[in-house]
Amino acid sequence: MELTLSIPALLFPAISLTMLAYNARYLAIAALIRQLHKQFEETEASPLKKQIHSLRKRLSIIKNMQASAIVSFLLAAVTMFLIYVELMVWANVIFGISLVFLMISLILSLIEVQLSTKALGIQLSNMEK
């Protein structure tokens, strides 16, 4: 398969939309952490401390998701430059690495969604008691 400028360019909208989704998750979790931290300072309840710890872990995963997506985006741009200067071997290698970083980002996203779902399940089970 011959790599053309349009192939890595296809990643630009996908990665941009992915970054928007990651940023929305980050902002929601950051707001929740601020809210729980305020409650913790008032009550010092142990369950709140556990929730904040879990959210800190999820925040770290989201940071790594964002970093991987940004690296993928950057490498896709580098690929386009390499195609432009007709360094096709390097363009293919860098594009492959870009795809690997995109996959890492998506795998981290899956892990974060699983943690989020697990936390909600625990919250719901506490409500049923």
Side-chain angles (χ1 to χ4, degrees):
M1 180 180 97
E2 186 177 334
L3 191 60
T4 64
L5 278 173
S6 61
I7 294 172
L10 289 173
L11 287 183
F12 280 58
I15 295 171
S16 296
L17 288 173
T18 302
M19 290 296 298
L20 282 173
Y22 292 171
N23 196 40
R25 292 188 74 78
Y26 175 83
L27 292 174
I29 289 175
L32 184 57
I33 287 173
R34 287 184 187 98
Q35 178 186 358
L36 290 175
H37 186 267
K38 186 176 179 180
Q39 287 178 8
F40 178 74
E41 285 179 339
E42 293 169 359
T43 64
E44 295 194 26
S46 182
L48 290 177
K49 192 173 185 177
K50 290 178 184 177
Q51 283 182 317
I52 291 171
H53 177 73
S54 173
L55 290 170
R56 182 178 290 136
K57 183 177 179 180
R58 288 178 52 203
L59 210 53
S60 176
I61 292 171
I62 291 172
K63 176 187 72 169
N64 291 326
M65 288 164 31
Q66 290 174 324
S68 298
I70 290 167
V71 170
S72 177
F73 197 36
L74 179 62
L75 291 176
V78 170
T79 299
M80 292 176 70
F81 175 76
L82 292 171
I83 292 170
Y84 177 74
V85 295
E86 298 180 3
L87 294 172
M88 297 310 291
V89 172
W90 282 106
N92 283 307
V93 169
I94 298 300
F95 185 65
I97 295 169
S98 174
L99 291 176
V100 168
F101 273 97
L102 182 58
M103 288 186 280
I104 290 169
S105 178
L106 293 172
I107 290 168
L108 289 171
S109 178
L110 177 65
I111 291 169
E112 196 277 329
V113 167
Q114 295 296 320
L115 287 174
S116 173
T117 305
K118 184 178 176 182
L120 287 173
I122 292 170
Q123 197 77 17
L124 289 173
S125 69
N126 287 342
M127 292 173 60
E128 292 174 353
K129 291 181 182 179

